Amino acid sequence: MQAFLKGPGGAPPTKKPVAAQPSASGTSKKDVRQSKKHIPWVEKYRPKTVEDVAYQEEVVAVLQKTLAGSDLPNLLFYGPPGTGKTSTILAAARSLFGPEQFASRVLELNASDERGINVVREKVKKFSQLTASGTRPDGKPCPPYKIVILDEADSMTAPAQAALRRTMEKETKTTRFCLICNYVSRIIEPITSRCAKFRFKPLAETVMADRLNHICKEEGVQIGDTAMQTLMKVSEGDMRKAVMFLQSASRLCGQDDPITDSIIMDITGVVPEDMVDEIIKACHSDSYQTLDETRVNREGYAASQLLGQLHDRVIMMDDLSDKQKSIVAEKMAVVDKCLMDGADEYLQLMALLSTLMQQICHGE
Amino acid sequence: MSLWVDKYRPTSLAKLDYHKEQASHLRKLVQGGDFPHLLVHGPSGAGKKTRVMCVLRELYGSGVEKLRIEHNNFTTPSNKKLEVVSISSNYHIEVNPSDVGIYDRVVIQEMIKNVAQVNQLDSSSQKDFKVVVLTEVDRLSRDAQHALRRTMEKYMATCRLILVCNSTSKVIPAIRSRCLGVRVAAPSQDEITQVLHSICKKEGLNLPGELAKRIAEKSHGNLRRAILMCEACRVQQYPFSADQEVSEPDWEVFLRDTATMIVQEQSPRRLLEVRGRLYELLSHCIPADVIIKGLLQELLSNCDGELKTEVVQSAAHFEHRLQNGQKAIYHLEAFVARFMAIYKRFLEEGIADLF
């Protein structure tokens, strides 16, 4: 047997499948183990079929009807990251065309591909002009169109989007478009009006908990209830984030130790509550010196993260009047914008905190 | 003869001086032979790069230290030729895409695709992925960051990314959610003094505790700076004395003098003089945001509580403009003028109250 495996050329071809069986299973086991290490859980547990997509009932209903035989409109999926937009369309395309035809029938373009106006004019146009047959090679019926998936469409330039307009209309016979983006406002009006829009909502906690528990069971990860709660809280309805965090945490802990609260807090970069407490306390002191000594910036937390957490606190603060809160909130908005523009974190945070201090100590 | 900073840079995770718990976590992470994409963030001089190199070494062995410098050429869609310098070993490649300004997207797309599409030939003896280290990710353009998103997922099998940045605020959420964040906080003063002591011990020097403490204070949590200052002290005077002057960079002294000038007199003439000094600083390649922060620090120590708030607000305001604008000097000068106005008004009100 071993000798046979070493010399593949020597075996008669008829016997090959039989003999190859054990060797295949042997290597595949190894492969599985290896690939298990390398496939991120995000990919591994991506929904395989449309039914698997959690929590997005409307779009699932539409796509299921399509799978049952009715026509597919041009689609526009939008929603926050990690809600299953890409997964949904990929799963749908896979079940529409089957794995063999998937490659020839689906053109997936995302922001990492070059897709200026030239690509839209040439690649997309050419692809969409090809006719597709209504049957699969094995004779089963399949829809007579192809799908162009434009992932992260909000990073396409407006001219490139404009170049799509006519193509979308003209080629409806042979091609459906699916645009995926985070912000629908960045897609130009003529495109949105040509598509059926679906909003993907952030996942509810119960749905997420189900999925995460399922993954934990599959992977043999131990996680406590409080840690699970924290994980859910920090991932804010973003399933990908949650799964990524879970995998990272399990990697950090190793196989045997259960995942704890602190590890999750650590990898997510959430500012610990007692640190926020300290900052708020410093704001009450009415001394710029104390404020400066809180070491906010030295710890390496992101200012935008801190900003979000401070916002939650300020809204709940009892010793501020509504008017004061609104002043602080407005400043927060300004600071956020400045941070996005690339302004210095230290200065912006100090400006915000000093406003907060002023409102707490001297506001009316 | 290399600088102490390089000579005593820890080379393995076990030898790191602080954040030991994190180091042990990283070790566990790497021991499996695999790790997710990493996003290493923290203030400068906290040891981000050191940790990255330690992780790589843990992963691939000493082969990662054989570095070579490569010049990579790229062509943008508009046919502009770009050249990017990368540092690479057999196992990893390190590049700073923000070197090429707005064309960073091209570099990222090409570079990562090149690296990722090549499989390691013999995956049994080597890891079957390479590592791409991207530095200063927070200075990447939006376009480039978007380009990273899908690339990261697509080439997961053959390529891991380690992103290094100062702050995650400027990294888009989509990338943050694809990476394991590793926060490297600045070392505390005690930790810095400890490191200084251990280095001096290895050099066979006697470092007074008092001096180490003063250096640590002046370094503002930047370990690299602390070690450099310590070495400068050694050159200046040895044996060390406890009350030895810790030499600061010239430009800091210059900046402090400038601040004093501003506080002393508020007049258009003084403004003109200050402008000259600011030009001087800028022409010596001191970044404008460092200047504004340095000025603020000094000016604030001369202000009363309520005034401080106002000054900080205006500093933040002008620093933001500075980031958006083209010429730094306008905004620096505007800040100085605003400060003068605030300060003078405050003084005059004070005098009016007296009478």
Side-chain angles (χ1 to χ4, degrees), chain A residues 213-280:
Chain A
N213 279 326
H214 169 73
I215 294 177
C216 285
K217 223 193 291 165
E218 291 275 308
E219 296 288 338
V221 176
Q222 301 167 32
I223 182 167
D225 275 346
T226 46
M228 187 61 117
Q229 286 298 327
T230 325
L231 178 61
M232 233 108 77
K233 210 175 120 202
V234 294
S235 49
E236 295 165 336
D238 183 340
M239 193 68 200
R240 175 174 45 223
K241 232 190 205 168
V243 177
M244 278 301 282
F245 286 153
L246 188 64
Q247 187 175 19
S248 307
S250 83
R251 284 258 186 74
L252 280 181
C253 290
Q255 281 292 319
D256 312 318
D257 309 331
I259 296 170
T260 57
D261 256 12
S262 60
I263 284 184
I264 288 186
M265 291 298 258
D266 201 43
I267 57 172
T268 50
V270 174
V271 185
E273 290 294 300
D274 45 343
M275 185 136 177
V276 184
D277 283 338
E278 192 193 326
I279 291 167
I280 302 262

Side-chain angles (χ1 to χ4, degrees), chain B residues 116-174:
Chain B
Q117 283 172 346
V118 182
N119 266 316
Q120 295 273 24
L121 276 177
D122 182 12
S123 65
S124 57
S125 66
Q126 292 168 333
K127 304 275 179 265
D128 41 10
F129 56 84
K130 274 192 167 192
V131 175
V132 178
V133 181
L134 298 179
T135 51
E136 296 189 32
V137 181
D138 40 1
R139 279 174 51 196
L140 286 185
S141 64
R142 276 296 138 91
D143 259 3
Q145 296 197 23
H146 279 292
L148 262 183
R149 293 167 59 163
R150 190 68 191 147
T151 322
M152 289 171 88
E153 286 181 351
K154 218 160 145 189
Y155 300 117
M156 187 74 192
T158 51
C159 166
R160 297 287 181 284
L161 290 175
I162 298 184
L163 311 175
V164 181
C165 64
N166 281 115
S167 135
T168 53
S169 297
K170 283 164 222 161
V171 180
I172 56 169

Side-chain angles (χ1 to χ4, degrees), chain A residues 56-342:
Chain A
Q56 317 290 356
E57 290 88 6
E58 300 94 347
V59 64
V60 169
V62 170
L63 286 175
Q64 267 171 345
K65 265 201 194 121
T66 317
L67 289 178
S70 71
D71 200 21
L72 184 72
N74 286 328
L75 297 170
L76 174 64
F77 292 169
Y78 65 101
T83 45
K85 300 180 293 293
T86 313
S87 305
T88 308
I89 189 66
L90 285 180
R94 198 162 292 132
S95 31
L96 272 176
F97 303 123
E100 300 90 25
Q101 276 195 307
F102 184 79
S104 63
R105 288 286 182 98
V106 177
L107 178 68
E108 191 191 348
L109 290 175
N110 56 58
S112 68
D113 301 302
E114 191 54 54
R115 51 165 192 204
I117 189 156
N118 280 332
V119 175
V120 172
R121 278 198 190 130
E122 284 168 26
K123 208 168 163 188
V124 174
K125 217 169 168 183
K126 256 191 202 132
F127 179 81
S128 54
Q129 278 166 351
L130 298 172
T131 17
S133 81
T135 51
R136 291 185 192 186
D138 55 3
K140 275 189 232 157
C142 92
Y145 49 77
K146 302 171 298 314
I147 297 185
V148 177
I149 302 174
L150 293 170
D151 208 343
E152 295 143 29
D154 38 5
S155 64
M156 283 170 83
T157 56
Q161 291 185 30
L164 266 183
R165 295 165 55 168
R166 192 66 191 134
T167 316
M168 272 174 102
E169 272 178 356
K170 230 164 57 192
E171 311 300 342
T172 31
K173 257 190 197 151
T174 54
T175 310
R176 298 290 178 278
F177 284 82
C178 178
L179 281 79
I180 300 175
C181 61
N182 291 132
Y183 304 102
V184 74
S185 53
R186 300 225 184 113
I187 305 290
I188 57 170
E189 181 65 37
I191 298 272
T192 52
S193 68
R194 282 174 173 82
C195 297
K197 280 187 275 187
F198 292 100
R199 193 177 98 83
F200 281 64
K201 4 184 220 296
L203 272 70
E205 290 211 347
T206 48
V207 181
M208 267 174 98
D210 275 358
R211 272 293 157 100
L212 290 176
N213 279 326
H214 169 73
I215 294 177
C216 285
K217 223 193 291 165
E218 291 275 308
E219 296 288 338
V221 176
Q222 301 167 32
I223 182 167
D225 275 346
T226 46
M228 187 61 117
Q229 286 298 327
T230 325
L231 178 61
M232 233 108 77
K233 210 175 120 202
V234 294
S235 49
E236 295 165 336
D238 183 340
M239 193 68 200
R240 175 174 45 223
K241 232 190 205 168
V243 177
M244 278 301 282
F245 286 153
L246 188 64
Q247 187 175 19
S248 307
S250 83
R251 284 258 186 74
L252 280 181
C253 290
Q255 281 292 319
D256 312 318
D257 309 331
I259 296 170
T260 57
D261 256 12
S262 60
I263 284 184
I264 288 186
M265 291 298 258
D266 201 43
I267 57 172
T268 50
V270 174
V271 185
E273 290 294 300
D274 45 343
M275 185 136 177
V276 184
D277 283 338
E278 192 193 326
I279 291 167
I280 302 262
K281 216 172 108 201
C283 287
H284 281 86
S285 71
D286 195 17
S287 136
Y288 184 84
Q289 203 64 36
T290 358
L291 208 56
D292 203 19
E293 279 162 10
T294 45
R295 277 175 50 100
V296 202
N297 282 285
R298 295 234 197 129
E299 286 291 331
Y301 291 111
S304 50
Q305 177 70 38
L306 183 64
L307 192 66
Q309 281 176 275
L310 272 180
H311 179 252
D312 291 347
R313 287 299 186 84
V314 168
I315 296 302
M316 288 319 206
M317 243 186 220
D318 293 328
D319 46 355
L320 285 182
S321 69
D322 285 353
K323 197 180 159 202
Q324 285 172 315
K325 278 181 191 171
S326 62
I327 292 175
V328 176
E330 196 177 342
K331 183 71 195 168
M332 280 178 166
V334 172
V335 166
D336 188 49
K337 155 82 172 127
C338 291
L339 283 176
M340 289 305 275
D341 286 345

